Amino acid sequence: MTSLTFPDCAIPISNRVHWIGAFDPLLRSFDLILKTANGTTYNAYLVRGQQGVAIIDTVKEEFAEEFFKRLESVANYDEITLIVLNHLEPDHTGALPELLKRAPQAYLYISHQAQSMLKGLLKLDEKQLQFKPVTTGDHVDLGDCTLEFFHTPYLHWPDTQCTYLREEKLLFSGDVFGCHFCDARLFNDLVGDFRFSFDYYYAHIMRPFKKYVLDALTLLEPLALDLIAPTHGPVLRDQPRRYLQHYRTLSTPRKEVVDKTLLIFYISAYGNTARMAHAIYQGASTVTGLRVSIFDLQGGEVEPFVDLIEEADGIVLGTPTINGDAVKPIWDLLSSLAVVNLKGKVGAAFGSYGWTGEAVNMIESRLRGLKLRVPVPGLRIKLIPTEEELATCQTFGQQLAETMTQKQAVRELDFSQI
Ligand code: FEO
């Protein structure tokens, strides 16, 4: 836990804008899946215009009083004319029901995709809600300043949008460009080194939506930017454009055109599944237009393989059946793929077994669940494969490779990174 004292009033971040969010320094796990060594912040903002006050996002419900205290230090509730919700996940809308009670005159501005979520969240019908769905090109006037909306879906929910305060060159970016990092000094030029947290957050939250990140960057890059105000982590006022460039680098496909690629991963208790793996490797390698690689999972961690799998066209997983199940390294590899878009890739499974051999079917089901195509039925061999069975393995590899190379679309890959 940091020893710095957290300020309990609003923090000015530009002429018209205050940070009115909440610090959560003790959080160690976010949404059950993200580790948060430095806690997090729930950033919310207040914009004061000549013709009204806008609130941009709120905070997690448990931190509502902290949020209201900061809000009250710079505005009265009856001054609030509108509330912008860039994203409706509960860590940003937890305080919304109470805010609407305190400022019932406020009009909500949300994306079109957020409408059904808003109704589900507030459990109010349309007559009880004052909201306006907005998209790119829409704006709302606060007298001497204007909030402009940018439709940036799937960053990282369907509802997500960004809001731009042109007069201050300030982008309220929602979860985009955020990270879980709690530091009382708030601004990126003052807080501790948060680069690891920024990249970890991108890898787990934005990475599955790279195409949408690139679409959003095309919208946001032309904006003049003095400041990016995300919903988590430091406010980015020092060289904010660097963060757009970094997102573009992380989201851009690599640039060398190569053949299709097939990765074979296996683990073997007595060498039988390994023999199958190498026979499959031989069979697949006879097909031109396909680069085949083989990896023994007993040799290391699964994490480094995630990047390879993201770029590959197909994966084959080999596992023995032990106690009616596939073995842990195979499940570890599969569970690490939650951050990768696997749709349309080819998958297959194989393995040696002693009694019942359930593992292959289990892995095939999981591959289908992850949206891979499984065009060639899994291959199971009882105990030690014979020469004839190894020939079947070669045919299995060849069939899979031929299935993959029927469509010869080129793709991009950087061999130097492998
Ligand atoms: Fe920070 Fe997607 O909520």
Side-chain angles (χ1 to χ4, degrees):
M1 180 169 47
T2 177
S3 57
L4 292 170
T5 304
F6 293 105
D8 58 8
C9 59
I11 299 172
I13 68 167
S14 71
N15 289 336
R16 299 173 175 88
V17 182
H18 280 82
W19 178 88
I20 56 168
F23 295 106
D24 187 359
L26 300 180
L27 188 79
R28 291 295 174 267
S29 169
F30 186 90
D31 276 359
L32 304 177
I33 55 166
L34 289 185
K35 300 208 179 303
T36 50
N38 295 75
T40 195
T41 62
Y42 311 103
N43 297 338
Y45 303 92
L46 184 146
V47 184
R48 179 172 284 283
Q50 282 180 350
Q51 292 177 10
V53 165
I55 304 296
I56 315 289
D57 297 309
T58 76
V59 301
K60 199 173 179 180
E61 188 175 9
E62 298 95 292
F63 295 83
E65 282 314 311
E66 200 179 319
F67 163 76
F68 288 124
K69 192 171 177 186
R70 291 197 172 93
L71 190 161
E72 288 164 13
S73 72
V74 284
N76 298 319
Y77 292 109
D78 60 9
E79 294 181 287
I80 299 171
T81 52
L82 64 106
I83 301 165
V84 174
L85 301 173
N86 283 326
H87 174 34
L88 268 63
E89 201 168 1
D91 53 327
H92 307 300
T93 49
L96 180 64
E98 179 60 27
L99 178 60
L100 288 174
K101 284 182 193 159
R102 298 186 188 197
Q105 74 285 352
Y107 226 89
L108 293 172
Y109 285 77
I110 58 175
S111 72
H112 287 266
Q113 289 75 4
Q115 294 176 81
S116 61
M117 293 179 200
L118 183 70
K119 290 166 198 166
L121 194 74
L122 297 178
K123 303 299 180 200
L124 297 171
D125 65 37
E126 279 192 45
K127 291 178 192 148
Q128 296 171 283
L129 283 169
Q130 301 184 105
F131 70 91
K132 181 173 174 56
V134 289
T135 189
T136 305
D138 292 336
H139 66 273
V140 60
D141 192 14
L142 285 171
D144 60 333
C145 60
T146 306
L147 293 169
E148 300 174 28
F149 302 102
F150 289 89
H151 180 52
T152 56
Y154 295 103
L155 301 181
H156 61 122
W157 272 20
D159 66 318
T160 46
Q161 64 177 0
C162 294
T163 302
Y164 182 58
L165 179 57
R166 185 168 294 277
E167 290 73 9
E168 311 253 322
K169 299 180 183 147
L170 194 164
L171 181 69
F172 300 105
S173 60
D175 278 351
V176 189
F177 309 120
C179 66
H180 292 305
F181 193 85
C182 182
D183 189 312
R185 295 166 293 191
L186 196 61
F187 295 99
N188 66 327
D189 54 316
L190 301 179
V191 301
D193 192 331
F194 64 99
R195 286 175 296 177
F196 79 96
S197 182
F198 191 88
D199 283 0
Y200 178 81
Y201 184 93
Y202 172 89
H204 288 80
I205 302 290
M206 300 297 163
R207 176 180 177 151
F209 306 104
K210 284 182 174 180
K211 176 193 170 299
Y212 293 97
V213 172
L214 293 173
D215 289 346
L217 289 172
T218 301
L219 282 178
L220 302 178
E221 281 168 341
L223 301 177
L225 276 182
D226 281 349
L227 212 139
I228 299 174
T231 45
H232 296 290
V235 171
L236 308 171
R237 68 179 179 186
D238 178 46
Q239 302 183 63
R241 195 161 291 282
R242 272 191 318 175
Y243 298 92
L244 276 73
Q245 290 161 352
H246 192 50
Y247 259 46
R248 184 164 278 286
T249 301
L250 292 171
S251 303
T252 301
R254 300 171 189 182
K255 286 295 179 196
E256 194 170 335
V257 177
V258 299
D259 292 337
K260 293 205 167 194
T261 55
L262 175 67
L263 311 177
I264 301 170
F265 297 95
Y266 70 93
I267 190 158
S268 190
Y270 295 104
N272 298 324
T273 299
R275 287 186 194 96
M276 292 180 70
H278 284 276
I280 291 166
Y281 176 59
Q282 285 174 10
S285 298
T286 63
V287 177
T288 56
L290 188 76
R291 188 189 196 207
V292 190
S293 307
I294 186 165
F295 305 97
D296 183 349
L297 288 177
Q298 205 167 4
E301 303 293 326
V302 298
E303 284 301 321
F305 295 128
V306 174
D307 286 341
L308 293 189
I309 292 172
E310 183 174 47
E311 294 172 344
D313 299 286
I315 58 171
V316 192
L317 303 179
T319 174
T321 298
I322 297 180
N323 294 331
D325 199 353
V327 296
K328 186 170 180 296
I330 292 286
W331 289 123
D332 287 347
L333 181 66
L334 285 167
S335 66
S336 71
L337 301 182
V339 297
V340 176
N341 182 2
L342 298 167
K343 197 173 176 184
K345 295 185 193 293
V346 164
F350 66 93
S352 166
Y353 67 99
W355 296 350
T356 46
E358 297 93 334
V360 170
N361 286 343
M362 289 173 158
I363 297 302
E364 282 187 298
S365 296
R366 184 70 186 125
L367 290 171
R368 289 193 183 96
L370 289 167
K371 307 268 192 297
L372 285 92
R373 291 192 299 121
V374 184
V376 179
L379 184 60
R380 305 185 310 151
I381 288 176
K382 192 169 177 74
L383 295 169
I384 302 170
T386 63
E387 287 304 315
E388 193 175 320
E389 287 169 328
L390 287 175
T392 303
C393 291
Q394 289 190 15
T395 303
F396 174 86
Q398 185 177 341
Q399 282 177 345
L400 191 65
E402 286 173 346
T403 301
M404 291 176 60
T405 51
Q406 276 171 3
K407 293 179 186 169
Q408 295 288 348
V410 292
R411 56 184 300 280
E412 294 177 339
L413 183 67
D414 183 354
F415 280 116
S416 68
Q417 299 296 318
I418 296 178

